[in-house]
Amino acid sequence: MVEDIINNGNVKYKGSILEKYYSTYKPYTFKELYFINQKPIISDKQDSRILNENLNYYKYDLWSDERQKVQMDRVHEYGLLRSHGTQHFGPVSIQKGELELQRLKDTYHSILKYGHLPNKFGFISGYFLRYKNRYRFIILDGNHRAAVLCAMGYSKIPVTFQAGSPRIIDYNDIKNFPHVKRGLFSLPLAKQIFKTYFEDDGTKKARNLGLIN
């Protein structure tokens, strides 16, 4: 989407790749969120139950200490209720889709004019997943900035760790993470979900959704 903004500053939400993404990728359950490219390993009835749970009931961070319920009738981002949707996937309302496009435009023009100034505007933050000697950085704050910087050709982006979150979540230590210890996810299922972050950079998912050839 940002590449389109760079090439056409007047691009509209209707008919954009962002609208196509939101209208195509509409996971309703955890299974639809994590397993577009493969079948999940289901060890017991609890795995089946959690995989088929409505995504709107809880926030979907698998590694946090507590399950946080989503309040659909409360103001979420930029004055819109959570019922308008989330930035990460569809369905979203037209207002939400247009808001996300405008956020990308505003971020792009700000960085184009002033440069990337994390010390002034804040760092992109999150935590690392580690699998063997490989790492993936999970962004908790700064998705729009990361998308813009990548589209603008930045090869390195400074990040920081978010307070209250672990800095590194290691594959070999999954058994000790809260949701696994509580039995919310079985160990085999948690490991499979963990590895999905290393098996696809998003290209395979986009191709399966018909977003790219």
Side-chain angles (χ1 to χ4, degrees):
M1 186 66 253
V2 180
E3 290 174 349
D4 285 350
I5 293 170
I6 293 172
N7 293 325
N8 176 16
N10 294 320
V11 62
K12 305 297 184 183
Y13 176 67
K14 186 173 178 59
S16 69
I17 186 65
L18 186 61
E19 183 192 37
K20 185 177 181 181
Y21 170 75
Y22 282 139
S23 62
T24 302
Y25 185 41
K26 299 184 289 186
Y28 182 76
T29 65
F30 283 94
K31 183 178 180 180
E32 293 172 351
L33 178 67
Y34 287 107
F35 293 102
I36 287 181
N37 303 323
Q38 59 181 309
K39 292 183 178 180
I41 297 172
I42 298 177
S43 301
D44 51 36
K45 290 183 179 180
Q46 172 60 15
D47 280 347
S48 181
R49 187 191 71 77
I50 196 67
L51 284 174
N52 288 287
E53 187 175 71
N54 188 331
L55 282 172
N56 288 322
Y57 290 164
Y58 294 94
K59 293 185 178 180
Y60 45 90
D61 185 358
L62 302 183
W63 321 114
S64 60
D65 289 336
E66 298 180 0
R67 300 199 76 199
Q68 296 181 344
K69 287 190 175 183
V70 173
Q71 302 293 330
M72 301 295 287
D73 59 347
R74 292 189 178 180
V75 173
H76 186 51
E77 293 180 311
Y78 288 75
L80 292 181
L81 298 179
R82 175 61 177 77
S83 56
H84 280 267
T86 174
Q87 63 176 281
H88 302 292
F89 47 77
V92 300
S93 67
I94 292 176
Q95 296 99 309
K96 178 63 174 175
E98 291 178 341
L99 167 65
E100 291 304 317
L101 176 57
Q102 191 59 51
R103 291 176 72 183
L104 290 171
K105 286 183 177 181
D106 291 345
T107 303
Y108 166 66
H109 288 296
S110 175
I111 294 176
L112 183 65
K113 183 175 181 178
Y114 300 108
H116 180 45
L117 304 173
N119 288 314
K120 181 175 181 180
F121 297 109
F123 281 83
I124 295 168
S125 64
Y127 58 85
F128 281 102
L129 300 181
R130 178 168 58 197
Y131 178 60
K132 297 181 179 179
N133 63 340
R134 300 166 64 197
Y135 291 82
R136 294 289 184 270
F137 190 73
I138 305 301
I139 298 173
L140 297 178
D141 183 50
N143 284 285
H144 298 81
R145 280 170 284 165
V148 168
L149 291 168
C150 288
M152 292 178 72
Y154 281 68
S155 60
K156 295 181 179 180
I157 300 173
V159 298
T160 189
F161 298 108
Q162 192 166 83
S165 295
R167 294 189 171 194
I168 298 176
I169 296 174
D170 195 294
Y171 176 81
N172 293 321
D173 198 37
I174 291 182
K175 64 181 182 297
N176 293 317
F177 281 87
H179 292 340
V180 178
K181 290 180 73 173
R182 294 191 187 103
L184 186 67
F185 288 84
S186 70
L187 184 58
L189 180 61
K191 286 184 174 181
Q192 188 183 19
I193 291 174
F194 191 101
K195 287 192 288 187
T196 62
Y197 290 94
F198 295 84
E199 293 168 347
D200 181 24
D201 62 0
T203 304
K204 188 185 296 183
K205 178 185 287 186
R207 186 172 292 113
N208 287 344
L209 291 169
L211 296 172
I212 61 174
N213 297 321

